Amino acid sequence: MNEMFAGWPLLSIVTFMPTAGALLILLARISQRGDNAGYDNGVKLLTLIVTIATFFMSLFAFAAFQWDAPGFQLQEDIPWAFGASYAMGVDQLAMSLVLLTTFLTPLCILASWSIEKQVSSYMVLFLLLETLMIGVFCAQDIVLFYLFFEGGLIPMFILIGVWGGERRVYAAFKFFLYTLLGSLLMLVAIVAMIVMARAAGIENPSNIPALTAFAAQGGFSPDIQIWLWLAFFASFAVKMPMWPVHTWLPDAHVEAPTAASVVLAAILLKMGGYGFLRFSLPMFPDASHFFTPLVFVLSVIAIVYASLVAFRQLDMKKLIAYSSVAHMGFVTMGIFAGNEQGIQGAIFQMLSHGIISGALFLCVGVVYDRMHTREIAFYGGLVHRMPVYAAILLLFTMGNVGLPGTSGFPGEILTMVGAFQVNAWVAAGAALGVIFSAAYALTLYRKVAFGVIENPKLDGIADLDAREWITFIPLVIATLVMGLAPSYVLDFTSISAEAIANAYAGAAP
Amino acid sequence: MNAPLLDLTNSLPLARPELLLAGFALIAVVLGAWFKDRAFLALSVLGVITLLGAGGLAILFQPGAPVEILQGAMVVDGVGVFAKALIALSAAATLALGADHFVRTDEQRFEFPIVVVLAVLGMFVMVSAQDLISLYLGVELQSLSAYVLAAWRRDDSRSSEAGLKYFVLSAISSGLLLFGSSFVYGFTGSIRFDAIAAAIGEGAGGVGLIFGIVLMLCALGFKMSAAPFHMWTPDVYEGAPTPVTAFFAAAPKVAAVALMARVLYEPFAGLEDQWRQVVAALSAISMVWGSIGALLQTNLKRLMAYSSIANMGFVLMGLASGVDQGPVASLIYLALYLPANIGVFALILAMRRNNQPVETVADLAGLAQKRPWMAAMFTMLLFSIAGVPPFAGFIGKLLVFSAAVETGLVWLAIVGGIAAVIAAAYYLRVLASIWFAPSTAQLQPASGTIAVTATVMAALTFPVLVLALGALQNWAEAAVRSSF
């Protein structure tokens, strides 16, 4: 396999394959006058094929990737202007997130089959969004990274605003402006870093490995690190989202169409964690060390507070959104524990949360498509009418709680082990959150699935159809495999985690 | 031959672009007087060709090193040529849009292309001015043409009001420019830029000179509509006919910025520490006020007026920075900003609802359902102006931020970042109307010229200029290095 693709720009192909699909749809659109159902189905099918092809292409990239080699691989580098370049490359951390993205996108397209309004525009935007998401993880140049990172806001803004729920316009604005404010502060910091590196004679000052090496030699003094760290934190904390800047997330989630919710929870949130691991920890170790107590406190508040808030929600999507905030609290706690267990746990938790929260939003989408409400009180006794659905919902609820045997468990335990070594109280606070998460998740399940059917409208509700089966099977398999044999993933990501943890331990005072 | 005649024969070949423009204007007036308004279309086409030809001649006959012409009144150098190319291209595009529009609305008056070309001639003189007299001549020729254009619809009270308002306020700023120039002349003893720079190098000046510089900067800030001298902009943008607004929003900005760069970095280069505060303040106020002022606007043209104020603030951020990065960043910013701006005006012109021009943000409702292509182009162009990646406008913001940080103006970059977020809110409002609102009335199809212009501008915004950034960088850097 390695020989077959030798010399191919695999990462660029993976990244821009969805864009090519989008252009194809646009070309088809020119030749087509007026919409009809058959044409729309063709567009959906084409999008599905393109995203599946992208997934296979990312598997080829994975095959060409050397598992146990540290550092960036599959590198491409084309000079651009002002010292920046189109540089692509992935390490184990980025590769695993690329795979998560390409794995989930076809499932999102399947879940979007019920879209009937402006289908071509929807699919084009979704494909562009996939390109931008993959690009974030593949970019090896900090300007290119920002291009992808920020560009992703545009399709998401339109997806929420056009195909969303009742308060979609409000949610779209809040999402965009919140994230943009954080990002522009980061942009100023990026500019400052490039200027400093250029002044120090670094040849390619926006290249991420070059900047990391520059930082490792003490290129950024501790005083400057504080400011740079805060600017990056402004962006990643909003993206993550951390308490108290999480308030855009429940709105965006509730109003977004199902597939956009999945992408938001499963992939966009991971960009925050990825940013912390790629920039904050390696480039500003002194500042990261200095701010660790702050991050710990915010993480524990997020875990406990968001779990309690989730308990009181009446809307299923909102409940899952708050549970995402709580789970991301584990990720930030693990990252800033700074040791190998913590970082490993954070990466694992990101991947696992991507699958589980994505699956939970899809579960909500299934009943929403049928009943057009997400109100928890509306449902009850679904197990009598939809046994398969109830079983799948149970699995993912348990995964959300972090039951051993599902993928939710290893990440939580590892982040707590990591945090325990740094501060036992933080780990204890987080453990409290685990209990709360069981409380809200099980309550949700009891109210929706168990009991007798009291609402007459639910009498005719049908169980999963073939399309939904196909959507859920890969997710079920992924959850169980990652839960029962986490070492497949952990062995792979450990190379990145070890490198980050060692560099951090070496640099921190 | 005696010296002045020799100078003239040496100068004329290098003044080809200006001669072409002036020649067109003179001949076109005669033709127009003879054929009356029947000549409108032909003169407009010729005008577009003339403008493109003038830009082409400027690039084609660019000397390797700066050459002074007409006894040192003007100079032909890299920055001048860069600005002339931008001015010629954007004026040609807006003239084509305007001619197309006036044909459709049946307001064909043959003077339009002539006045536009005369305004461009004024801009060409502005960007190559080498002493205070030619500077003032260029500014006045450009401004007088602009007053006429603003009041183009004589029988429309809004247009007349715009023209009058523009005239009165602009006359005040011209007065300031002359007043400031007299101070500069009085305290340095020369009107020539190189002599002024030399006098400053020898320690001439003091408070009087600073006073003169500040007055001149205020006047130039007025011409480029930087806050707090921006008051005329929204009214003139709203009142003038849309093709004229499109013209105002593009070419004169380049001329004013290039002239400001020349004034700052040629005669007053030695006083960098003094003028930096003023330019940085102008920049910060423009960015913030341009962003906040637009939030409550419902009229599209007023909104674009505030948007241009904010964008001029970003350009000034580049100019406030040092000579290494600043002018380069500002020139590239303009080159990336103009296509998006022209494209937006092309789309505004393209949209007519029940035979009425589209005026307010709400008029755009439901565009995405009716015409997804136009909606997509609108989205690209507005995000580019807002500076959201991956569109070209983002790179401009990145470059001016970079220049400011390198000079130590970090606070200005942070103000710019916050202003950009505020500004994003109103661009999003327009986009929300396009994408999210249900469509109400039927939109009429756009004409060929306008559709082509909008498509070309959108394609420039992404991906052409993004990919060609390296070439643009080389050109701008070479221009600035050879000139300042």
Side-chain angles (χ1 to χ4, degrees):
Chain A
M1 201 57 101
N2 284 1
E3 301 80 50
M4 198 174 133
F5 290 106
W8 284 38
L10 278 173
L11 291 179
S12 294
I13 295 176
V14 174
T15 308
F16 290 103
M17 208 173 207
T19 307
L23 290 177
L24 215 59
I25 294 176
L26 287 176
L27 286 179
R29 172 89 206 181
I30 294 175
S31 59
Q32 165 83 19
R33 293 261 165 251
D35 297 290
N36 59 61
Y39 176 74
D40 283 350
N41 275 333
V43 170
K44 287 173 188 169
L45 202 62
L46 177 64
T47 315
L48 185 65
I49 292 169
V50 170
T51 49
I52 290 175
T54 309
F55 177 56
F56 279 106
M57 208 62 224
S58 68
L59 287 182
F60 288 140
F62 183 56
F65 186 88
Q66 283 184 315
W67 278 50
D68 45 0
F72 287 96
Q73 301 181 40
L74 306 177
Q75 286 178 313
E76 301 161 31
D77 202 331
I78 302 168
W80 187 40
F82 295 99
S85 60
Y86 172 80
M88 304 284 260
V90 284
D91 60 356
Q92 282 79 1
L93 167 65
M95 188 76 226
S96 55
L97 288 166
V98 169
L99 286 172
L100 178 71
T101 310
T102 55
F103 170 70
L104 283 172
T105 313
L107 305 178
C108 289
I109 301 298
L110 274 175
S112 306
W113 226 257
S114 51
I115 296 279
E116 273 158 14
K117 182 171 132 191
Q118 295 166 265
V119 175
S120 300
S121 308
Y122 180 93
M123 293 300 165
V124 167
L125 286 167
F126 222 94
L127 288 170
L128 294 179
L129 182 63
E130 188 183 10
T131 287
L132 293 165
M133 290 187 301
I134 299 173
V136 166
F137 300 125
C138 292
Q140 234 191 333
D141 184 282
I142 200 163
V143 174
L144 189 66
F145 166 82
Y146 188 83
L147 228 70
F148 284 123
F149 185 79
E150 189 87 355
L153 296 181
I154 298 171
M156 203 58 182
F157 171 74
I158 301 175
L159 280 174
I160 295 176
V162 176
W163 291 273
E166 273 168 32
R167 292 167 69 236
R168 57 204 165 88
V169 177
Y170 169 77
F173 270 73
K174 197 169 177 183
F175 162 75
F176 196 99
L177 294 177
Y178 235 103
T179 338
L180 188 69
L181 178 62
S183 306
L184 277 168
L185 291 177
M186 178 170 83
L187 180 64
V188 175
I190 288 177
V191 165
M193 286 163 68
I194 294 175
V195 166
M196 276 185 265
R198 194 187 288 142
I202 304 287
E203 225 168 86
N204 39 3
S206 63
N207 189 279
I208 291 176
L211 269 178
T212 313
F214 176 63
Q217 293 155 9
F220 307 122
S221 75
D223 293 342
I224 292 171
Q225 278 188 27
I226 300 273
W227 293 106
L228 295 176
W229 190 94
L230 282 172
F232 274 77
F233 184 72
S235 178
F236 297 144
V238 169
K239 202 85 173 182
M240 196 88 198
M242 292 176 76
W243 185 88
V245 284
H246 65 282
T247 58
W248 63 270
L249 183 74
D251 285 312
H253 264 324
V254 169
E255 302 305 329
T258 303
S261 284
V262 174
V263 167
L264 201 57
I267 298 152
L268 289 189
L269 302 193
K270 307 303 172 286
M271 291 177 188
Y274 175 78
F276 280 132
L277 286 171
R278 179 69 75 229
F279 302 104
S280 300
L281 239 43
M283 294 189 190
F284 324 123
D286 297 320
S288 294
H289 199 79
F290 178 78
F291 283 114
T292 296
L294 172 77
V295 177
F296 275 168
V297 169
L298 293 182
S299 303
V300 172
I301 293 178
I303 294 170
V304 174
Y305 168 83
S307 303
L308 291 174
V309 175
F311 195 69
R312 296 297 303 161
Q313 294 307 314
L314 304 173
D315 182 305
M316 291 193 207
K317 266 186 162 181
K318 221 164 189 168
L319 189 146
I320 303 168
Y322 277 106
S323 96
S324 286
V325 177
H327 284 101
M328 289 299 110
F330 283 100
V331 174
T332 44
M333 183 180 78
I335 290 172
F336 281 88
N339 46 36
E340 203 187 326
Q341 286 91 345
I343 292 173
Q344 275 277 47
I347 298 174
F348 196 92
Q349 175 82 341
M350 290 203 287
L351 298 173
S352 142
H353 179 262
I355 290 165
I356 291 176
S357 72
L360 282 171
F361 279 116
L362 288 174
C363 286
V364 177
V366 167
V367 289
Y368 182 78
D369 280 350
R370 288 166 173 67
M371 293 291 136
H372 299 287
T373 175
R374 297 177 301 261
E375 201 186 335
I376 298 173
F378 181 91
Y379 298 97
L382 282 185
V383 70
H384 303 294
R385 289 281 177 277
M386 309 173 74
V388 181
Y389 174 76
I392 286 174
L393 183 61
L394 181 66
L395 174 73
F396 292 120
T397 307
M398 288 306 154
N400 204 28
V401 173
L403 189 80
T406 65
S407 65
F409 176 69
E412 279 186 10
I413 192 80
L414 276 170
T415 52
M416 281 195 281
V417 168
F420 190 83
Q421 296 168 21
V422 181
N423 187 328
W425 289 106
V426 172
L432 203 61
V434 178
I435 303 170
F436 291 147
S437 80
Y440 66 73
L442 293 178
T443 311
L444 170 71
Y445 190 76
R446 177 177 64 78
K447 285 183 180 165
V448 172
F450 290 158
V452 289
I453 294 185
E454 285 171 358
N455 190 338
K457 286 182 190 156
L458 290 176
D459 282 341
I461 197 165
D463 208 343
L464 301 187
D465 61 22
R467 174 177 62 85
E468 287 157 346
W469 268 98
I470 298 171
T471 317
F472 280 114
I473 285 173
L475 293 165
V476 169
I477 294 173
T479 310
L480 290 175
V481 168
M482 280 176 70
L484 295 172
S487 55
Y488 285 133
V489 178
L490 287 174
D491 288 348
F492 181 64
T493 56
S494 69
I495 295 145
S496 288
E498 206 176 322
I500 295 168
N502 287 344
Y504 185 57
Chain B
M1 266 196 288
N2 55 6
L5 197 62
L6 188 66
D7 179 70
L8 196 64
T9 48
N10 287 339
S11 297
L12 287 182
L14 281 167
R16 279 189 195 96
E18 287 82 359
L19 291 176
L20 178 63
L21 293 172
F24 169 81
L26 293 177
I27 295 169
V29 167
V30 177
L31 289 177
W34 186 263
F35 290 106
K36 298 281 175 333
D37 293 341
R38 278 168 294 161
F40 175 78
L41 196 60
L43 287 184
S44 298
V45 172
L46 272 178
V48 172
I49 294 171
T50 307
L51 288 170
L52 291 176
L57 285 177
I59 296 175
L60 207 60
F61 294 102
Q62 181 182 5
V67 179
E68 292 197 342
I69 58 172
L70 302 173
Q71 299 191 322
M74 283 161 65
V75 68
V76 183
D77 64 359
V79 169
V81 169
F82 190 96
K84 282 176 191 170
L86 280 188
I87 292 169
L89 272 177
S90 50
T94 45
L95 178 58
L97 287 177
D100 186 90
H101 179 83
F102 285 135
V103 167
R104 278 192 304 152
T105 54
D106 210 18
E107 294 173 288
Q108 309 180 24
R109 302 229 300 273
F110 75 89
E111 294 93 339
F112 182 69
I114 302 172
V115 180
V116 167
V117 168
L118 278 176
V120 172
L121 177 59
M123 294 173 207
F124 273 38
V125 176
M126 276 166 81
V127 300
S128 40
Q130 198 61 6
D131 66 24
L132 294 171
I133 303 288
S134 52
L135 183 159
Y136 183 74
L137 274 179
V139 168
E140 279 307 279
L141 180 53
Q142 189 261 122
S143 301
L144 280 169
S145 313
Y147 309 145
V148 178
L149 285 172
W152 196 250
R153 285 207 178 100
R154 287 175 297 218
D155 37 7
D156 176 23
S157 62
R158 278 199 307 176
S159 183
S160 309
E161 184 196 331
L164 188 65
K165 203 174 256 174
Y166 191 23
F167 173 63
V168 172
L169 289 174
S170 193
I172 294 175
S173 91
S174 295
L176 285 181
L177 186 61
L178 278 182
F179 194 40
S181 302
S182 69
F183 270 93
V184 172
Y185 172 61
F187 281 87
T188 58
S190 178
I191 55 165
R192 290 178 48 83
F193 286 176
D194 49 358
I196 294 173
I200 288 171
E202 287 160 16
V207 179
L209 180 60
I210 304 292
F211 201 70
I213 293 175
V214 171
L215 284 176
M216 284 183 74
L217 288 182
C218 293
L220 293 178
F222 180 94
K223 301 291 181 196
M224 66 195 284
S225 73
F229 310 105
H230 64 282
M231 267 70 128
W232 60 276
T233 321
D235 294 334
V236 171
Y237 271 45
E238 186 190 2
T242 311
V244 173
T245 313
F247 175 71
F248 282 176
K253 308 277 183 201
V254 186
V257 170
L259 177 59
M260 184 104 138
R262 195 179 285 287
V263 169
L264 291 178
Y265 289 103
E266 276 179 7
F268 303 140
L271 295 172
E272 204 170 283
D273 295 334
Q274 268 84 9
W275 55 251
R276 173 161 297 144
Q277 331 285 338
V278 181
V279 179
L282 281 179
S283 160
I285 299 170
S286 300
M287 289 187 296
V288 171
W289 191 244
S291 305
I292 293 175
L295 284 175
L296 295 175
Q297 301 302 330
T298 52
N299 184 297
L300 269 175
K301 279 152 76 183
R302 286 189 84 84
L303 196 141
M304 290 308 291
Y306 279 101
S307 149
S308 83
I309 295 168
N311 274 294
M312 285 303 114
F314 284 102
V315 175
L316 282 170
M317 189 198 287
L319 290 185
S321 312
V323 72
D324 295 333
Q325 286 289 317
V328 174
S330 291
L331 288 180
I332 294 182
Y333 190 100
L334 276 175
L336 301 176
Y337 162 72
L338 285 183
N341 210 1
I342 295 171
V344 166
F345 277 104
L347 286 170
I348 294 177
L349 278 172
M351 274 172 283
R352 295 175 69 77
R353 216 178 249 283
N354 310 327
N355 235 354
Q356 290 299 311
V358 166
E359 288 228 318
T360 63
V361 175
D363 281 345
L364 296 174
L367 185 66
Q369 286 145 50
K370 287 274 156 36
R371 304 202 183 283
W373 280 100
M374 279 168 84
M377 285 195 282
F378 229 125
T379 311
M380 289 171 64
L381 296 166
L382 282 179
F383 274 124
S384 181
I385 297 180
V388 175
F391 301 108
F394 160 72
I395 296 159
K397 291 226 166 38
L398 185 71
L399 291 178
V400 292
F401 282 0
S402 173
V405 169
E406 200 156 339
T407 323
L409 293 167
V410 181
W411 67 270
L412 194 58
I414 292 174
V415 170
I418 293 167
V421 178
I422 302 171
Y426 62 78
Y427 297 117
L428 290 186
R429 214 155 49 85
V430 180
L431 291 170
S433 180
I434 291 172
W435 283 93
F436 307 162
S439 81
T440 45
Q442 190 67 42
L443 286 156
Q444 284 149 341
S447 80
T449 316
I450 287 175
V452 168
T453 312
T455 314
V456 169
M457 295 303 160
L460 281 176
T461 305
F462 190 82
V464 176
L465 284 175
V466 177
L467 294 178
L469 185 66
L472 200 60
Q473 179 199 5
N474 290 340
W475 186 16
E477 278 182 350
V480 169
R481 215 178 302 120
S482 71
S483 303
F484 298 150

